[in-house]
Amino acid sequence: MQKKTLAIIGMGPRGLFALEQMVEQLQQQLDHVQIWLFETGSAWGCGPVYAPSQPATNWINIAERTLELPERPATSCMVEVPAFPSFLAWAEQWDQKETKADEQPDIYPPRAKIGRYLQARFYSLVLPLVQRQAVRLFQAEVCGLEWQPDHLRLSVGGQQHYRVDEALLTVGHQRTELDEQLERWQSATSLPTHLGVQPYPVSAFRAWDFEGNAPTGLGLRGFGLAMLDVVRAVGEWSGRFGQVVHGHMVYVRNKNQGLTIFPFSLDGLPLSAKPLNAALDKTYAPSPRILEALHEEVAHGASLETVGNLDFLIQPMAKIAAEIYVQHPQRWAEDQLSETAVAALLGEWLEHDHFEHPLILAQSRAAALALADFMGMAKGERWITLDYCMGQVWRHCQLTLFRALSFTKCPQGIFNQALALHERMKRYAYGPPVLGVAQMLAMISEGILNLKYVENPQVEVVTQGWKMQKGGSEVSLKYMVNTVLDSPNIAKVATPLIKNLRSDERVTKVAGALGFQVNENGMLTNSGTDEPLKVSVLGRLAKGTIIGVDSLVDCFGPRTTTWAKACAERLSKR
């Protein structure tokens, strides 16, 4: 009997879990199926985002206590595959530390630490499978894919071709086309080596000359988490973070250091810090009963083809956050609004980004002051604003919302509005840890980080770099780094395989080119017949059909298990 072949393209965390689930599902059929793994780099099992070689200044933006990556059970059918511990069990053994109390500050580990776990898990799985010739590894880029009558034809490296029966795409962040501003900068600058079009690896900027007394400006395009990684790395190269004095972290720059960092974005709005520890974080968590009711209400509203607005999402979220706010220990003592009134305010704010109220932190507040305000809320030291409360409640509701909003029947325009609201809430739900904000404030106090031009300055290329202007002031920049990471949108992806699929008329795309349309088993669908094709997509390239595609926890989630069960059944029947 001829073996069937499955190709898994992209061997980061999602590809790793897909392989684990497929091995578990195939069990006795493993001798009749061969699995080929394709990865362009050397970061097998973890991908470049979690590469163990990256600097420790790159932190994951999830508290370690919440990284519930499940253990892998042993498989002892056709191949002996050992069990592997959950991340939390592995981390406890790795760190040799006792379980932390809820009142202790949360740990946000370096992404390199996550990478070490993922790679160890990958090789413990793959080595016995390779020895049994059930798995084959290809360190190469899949550039194209062609549908043949009874198989798929993969083009690898532009020269080799392989025949497979099915393929799964689990690729993560893909290279994208430069936007108009970056293209203009790249073509106009006389110092192209002084422009970083992407923030990673941050070690690439270590070669830049930041030393010396002469004033040197470094511009950072973007004011999000990637910006913070670059700021932290440059800060450690250019000085040191000291002890906390009078409740504030201290930063001391090196002698003869003339560097100043100028971040900027379109709106200049800072991220809000997450609660300091588990005890504070629990005060924003809805009960399981409330989460289940939320799922039912949102899923019902999203299932209606005639729904015309986001009330089915906004109203229940406003009600939940209002109930938590009025009972919160950090509620402003002078605020006597009823729960109904608070829910109405939150609903207005969710619907209108620029809605203002004394209980909502004003967007006009200076960025440094807003950072300090959010940090006080996160540490439990000052009263919380309604927007901060909603952001933390939203984070606790995210997985429920992702489940309710995936594979919906609501109009694509309404779905896109839900995606836009989710992106807006990331400023709160995906904010940095308290320590990261404290580092920023310390660097601001020292003068190495300057937020004077943070909101939508005018930036132009000049002979020796860039000139940034705002409000009658200007500053010269010798270096520039783009820290804006593109949201999932297949129309912008520049890698050959995705461009190949994007141009194929058979493949159904989501309106607005956010991603490829997939069915509930993860399979691409034929645009003419809606029949499933032989290619499946898990992760960010399917955004628009599903929501919640980028998190590490999602990589080890039920969508991958659903795909594996269906794929194993198809391969076993052939």
Side-chain angles (χ1 to χ4, degrees):
M1 179 179 178
Q2 184 179 3
K3 286 188 175 184
K4 301 299 181 182
T5 302
L6 166 68
I8 300 180
I9 303 168
M11 197 38 59
R14 202 181 304 272
L16 164 61
F17 191 58
L19 177 61
E20 288 183 344
Q21 292 299 290
M22 181 55 68
V23 170
E24 182 175 340
Q25 294 300 323
L26 285 172
Q27 296 279 339
Q28 300 289 346
Q29 299 295 324
L30 198 54
D31 267 359
H32 304 301
V33 177
Q34 57 185 353
I35 305 173
W36 291 352
L37 311 179
F38 293 86
E39 172 60 38
T40 56
S42 59
W44 292 93
C46 58
V49 171
Y50 299 102
S53 58
Q54 66 188 295
T57 52
N58 292 345
W59 300 350
I60 191 171
N61 195 41
I62 307 173
E64 187 168 85
R65 62 179 168 80
T66 66
L67 281 172
E68 297 178 350
L69 309 185
E71 67 174 327
R72 183 185 70 221
T75 300
S76 56
C77 294
M78 307 304 294
V79 180
E80 295 283 342
V81 174
F84 202 84
S86 69
F87 172 75
L88 293 179
W90 176 89
E92 190 172 330
Q93 296 173 354
W94 178 275
D95 297 330
Q96 296 183 339
K97 293 180 181 178
E98 297 181 358
T99 303
K100 286 165 42 58
D102 283 356
E103 291 74 20
Q104 291 181 281
D106 278 332
I107 293 173
Y108 290 77
R111 291 204 290 271
K113 178 181 177 181
I114 311 297
R116 288 191 289 271
Y117 167 79
L118 293 170
Q119 281 207 330
R121 182 166 177 156
F122 172 79
Y123 285 114
S124 71
L125 168 71
V126 164
L127 290 179
L129 294 172
V130 170
Q131 291 174 356
R132 187 62 182 259
Q133 296 184 337
V135 163
R136 184 179 174 187
L137 278 61
F138 298 81
Q139 188 171 334
E141 181 179 15
V142 178
C143 300
L145 187 153
E146 299 176 15
W147 276 270
Q148 303 295 327
D150 61 346
H151 67 276
L152 297 170
R153 186 171 183 259
L154 301 186
S155 174
V156 178
Q159 296 178 341
Q160 296 178 301
H161 298 88
Y162 296 92
R163 171 179 174 148
V164 300
D165 294 281
E166 284 210 22
L168 169 68
L169 274 66
T170 56
V171 294
H173 284 271
Q174 297 290 285
R175 187 178 75 255
T176 57
E177 304 285 356
L178 297 182
D179 61 35
E180 182 180 347
Q181 186 178 53
L182 287 175
E183 277 193 345
R184 187 170 66 251
W185 288 354
Q186 195 172 58
S187 61
T189 180
S190 60
L191 300 169
T193 58
H194 289 192
L195 171 63
V197 296
Q198 57 186 9
Y200 302 109
V202 296
S203 56
F205 315 126
R206 190 70 177 91
W208 289 358
D209 181 18
F210 294 138
E211 302 297 330
N213 289 322
T216 302
L218 167 62
L220 298 182
R221 179 180 183 253
F223 199 40
L225 292 171
M227 176 277 304
L228 189 51
D229 280 343
V230 177
V231 165
R232 185 183 301 114
V234 174
E236 293 201 356
W237 301 335
S238 305
R240 59 183 176 83
F241 295 100
Q243 299 298 315
V244 174
V245 178
H246 301 304
H248 300 282
M249 176 174 286
V250 174
Y251 177 80
V252 181
R253 71 163 76 206
N254 295 335
K255 292 182 179 180
N256 303 321
Q257 175 58 261
L259 176 68
T260 306
I261 305 169
F262 296 92
F264 62 96
S265 68
L266 289 176
D267 58 23
L269 296 177
L271 299 168
S272 72
K274 290 192 184 76
L276 178 66
N277 54 39
L280 290 169
D281 194 32
K282 287 177 181 176
T283 62
Y284 300 97
S287 68
R289 176 186 59 81
I290 289 176
L291 289 176
E292 189 54 40
L294 173 67
H295 176 267
E296 291 182 7
E297 186 169 356
V298 174
H300 172 71
S303 70
L304 302 176
E305 297 181 7
T306 57
V307 67
N309 55 50
L310 280 184
D311 284 352
F312 69 90
L313 170 61
I314 288 176
Q315 295 307 315
M317 285 301 302
K319 182 179 179 181
I320 292 171
E323 181 180 350
I324 288 175
Y325 173 79
V326 298
Q327 301 176 36
H328 202 279
Q330 289 174 244
R331 181 185 183 181
W332 188 27
E334 298 183 24
D335 165 27
Q336 300 300 319
L337 291 176
S338 67
E339 184 176 322
T340 301
V342 171
L345 288 175
L346 286 168
E348 283 287 331
W349 180 72
L350 287 174
E351 191 168 352
H352 305 290
D353 186 17
H354 295 284
F355 176 74
E356 294 185 356
H357 188 273
L359 293 178
I360 295 173
L361 195 67
Q363 293 189 5
S364 59
R365 188 154 175 78
L369 296 177
L371 282 168
D373 289 341
F374 284 139
M375 187 168 74
M377 298 178 210
K379 294 169 70 175
E381 295 176 350
R382 61 149 287 174
W383 62 274
I384 58 172
T385 54
L386 289 181
D387 52 320
Y388 185 82
C389 180
M390 171 56 80
Q392 306 316 310
V393 173
W394 190 281
R395 175 168 49 83
H396 282 284
C397 294
Q398 276 185 141
L399 294 180
T400 300
L401 295 177
F402 293 164
R403 190 161 48 99
L405 289 170
S406 294
F407 305 108
T408 65
K409 294 183 179 179
C410 68
Q412 188 63 46
I414 299 298
F415 187 87
N416 290 347
Q417 289 180 32
L419 286 177
L421 180 57
H422 171 61
E423 291 295 321
R424 176 182 151 205
M425 295 308 297
K426 283 183 176 181
R427 179 191 169 205
Y428 299 90
Y430 288 19
V434 165
L435 179 57
V437 175
Q439 289 176 334
M440 285 186 67
L441 291 174
M443 293 177 71
I444 291 170
S445 179
E446 177 65 10
I448 192 171
L449 183 62
N450 189 313
L451 303 187
K452 182 177 181 178
Y453 301 87
V454 72
E455 183 185 0
N456 198 23
Q458 180 181 344
V459 183
E460 61 178 299
V461 177
V462 294
T463 304
Q464 294 300 316
W466 292 261
K467 181 171 67 175
M468 191 153 60
Q469 298 174 297
K470 184 175 175 63
S473 299
E474 66 178 50
V475 65
S476 296
L477 306 174
K478 184 178 180 180
Y479 302 101
M480 180 72 73
V481 177
N482 170 49
T483 68
V484 178
L485 299 177
D486 286 328
S487 298
N489 189 327
I490 59 172
K492 298 180 179 179
V493 175
T495 50
L497 176 60
I498 306 310
K499 292 174 71 174
N500 166 240
L501 288 174
R502 190 175 67 209
S503 64
D504 195 313
E505 295 181 356
R506 282 168 295 190
V507 179
T508 308
K509 293 88 176 172
V510 174
L514 291 172
F516 298 113
Q517 182 170 306
V518 297
N519 65 18
E520 294 190 4
N521 292 328
M523 300 185 76
L524 296 178
T525 58
N526 190 306
S527 59
T529 65
D530 277 341
E531 291 296 316
L533 300 171
K534 298 176 182 178
V535 178
S536 301
V537 177
L538 295 174
R540 65 181 357 238
L541 295 182
K543 188 169 185 177
T545 308
I546 57 176
I547 184 172
V549 292
D550 278 343
S551 76
L552 178 61
V553 174
D554 180 69
C555 292
F556 287 77
R559 291 174 186 146
T560 303
T561 303
T562 300
W563 162 81
K565 288 179 178 178
C567 184
E569 183 177 352
R570 291 192 301 272
L571 292 174
S572 299
K573 285 182 177 180
R574 291 174 180 169

